[in-house]
Amino acid sequence: MKILLFLAILLLLLAVYICLSSVTILIHYAHNGDNDQLTIRFKALSGLFRKKINVPVIKVNVPDASIDTKAKTGKANKKRASFSLEWAKKKMEETKMIIRHVQDAQPIVARFLKKVNIRQLYWHSAVGVIDAPLTAKISGVAWSAKAVVLAVIHRFFRVACQPDYHVQPAFNRNITATEFNCIIQVKVGHAILTACKLLANYQRIKHSDKVSGKHAGNNETV
């Protein structure tokens, strides 16, 4: 009995520790000409859990509007699809439910994002073309775009650092380069609580749709 009580207390303390711990997300993106690199690192439980993700590079070919990636893709399997009015009606109901879920989930997600801490935000870029006046205009647009992005970040997240951003105009040469580093921290407990709220909201909408569907069916039979 004492062993079970000890294990229960140990599991409770472990659950409290996990909920109070933070997940750190480190994002690094570098672009220089045709070379792109995006790396995302996750650290949790005081560094006991580590995960590194190298996102496949995407390159857009302007002449033919095709996209090249470094991700390996398998051979596509051909499947025969069948459609019916019942299938279309079902998909429409699912779409309505998703839209309602997204609308009702906005306050929940907004409250969660306000608890996400941004510990570091570094964003330096260099742009330039042969035409010097055009380079100046492009630099101004880049400054404005970064200001808008940072305003949005300040609006939705908790920024716990001084953002370091800059645009360097490179005159008389063609260049596009940028480096972006960001460190994000969020409590595991906040993430779990938000996930539970979203799931409860989804189940509530699903249940209300079933009830309204039954009432509609009863009215038709009458």
Side-chain angles (χ1 to χ4, degrees):
M1 188 68 182
K2 291 182 178 180
I3 296 178
L4 293 177
L5 180 61
F6 173 76
L7 291 175
I9 295 174
L10 185 63
L11 290 175
L12 179 62
L13 292 175
L14 181 61
V16 172
Y17 169 72
I18 292 175
C19 290
L20 294 179
S21 64
S22 298
V23 176
T24 303
I25 306 172
L26 300 93
I27 303 174
H28 171 76
Y29 174 72
H31 166 78
N32 190 355
D34 292 334
N35 298 320
D36 295 87
Q37 180 185 1
L38 177 59
T39 304
I40 303 175
R41 292 184 174 89
F42 298 88
K43 293 195 301 183
L45 301 177
S46 301
L48 294 177
F49 173 80
R50 294 174 180 267
K51 179 68 175 180
K52 180 180 179 182
I53 300 176
N54 291 314
V55 180
V57 175
I58 297 177
K59 179 182 177 183
V60 179
N61 300 314
V62 178
D64 57 356
S66 62
I67 297 176
D68 298 334
T69 70
K70 290 184 179 179
K72 295 181 179 179
T73 57
K75 187 176 180 181
N77 295 323
K78 294 183 178 179
K79 294 182 179 181
R80 185 178 179 181
S82 58
F83 304 94
S84 63
L85 292 176
E86 188 66 26
W87 177 88
K89 183 179 179 181
K90 182 179 178 182
K91 291 301 178 182
M92 288 180 64
E93 293 297 328
E94 291 177 356
T95 303
K96 289 180 181 178
M97 187 174 65
I98 292 174
I99 292 174
R100 286 182 57 194
H101 176 61
V102 171
Q103 291 175 344
D104 292 347
Q106 285 181 357
I108 301 174
V109 175
R111 287 192 293 268
F112 170 71
L113 292 179
K114 271 300 181 182
K115 297 176 182 177
V116 176
N117 295 308
I118 297 181
R119 298 294 183 184
Q120 180 185 356
L121 186 57
Y122 175 93
W123 190 8
H124 282 215
S125 305
V127 293
V129 293
I130 300 299
D131 189 359
L134 183 57
T135 298
K137 292 180 181 179
I138 295 174
S139 299
V141 172
W143 273 109
S144 300
K146 287 191 176 187
V148 171
V149 172
L150 291 174
V152 172
I153 291 175
H154 276 279
R155 171 68 177 83
F156 291 101
F157 297 89
R158 180 185 295 173
V159 181
C161 67
Q162 181 64 37
D164 182 5
Y165 66 104
H166 182 72
V167 177
Q168 178 63 45
F171 297 99
N172 300 323
R173 59 185 178 134
N174 294 320
I175 182 175
T176 57
T178 189
E179 184 176 1
F180 178 84
N181 291 301
C182 184
I183 298 178
I184 302 172
Q185 275 189 340
V186 59
K187 295 285 187 182
V188 176
H190 292 157
I192 294 175
L193 183 60
T194 301
C196 292
K197 289 181 178 179
L198 291 174
L199 181 60
N201 182 68
Y202 176 79
Q203 293 295 336
R204 179 182 61 81
I205 294 174
K206 190 175 181 180
H207 176 71
S208 64
D209 286 345
K210 286 184 178 180
V211 172
S212 61
K214 288 181 179 179
H215 285 310
N218 293 332
N219 292 335
E220 288 179 0
T221 55
V222 174

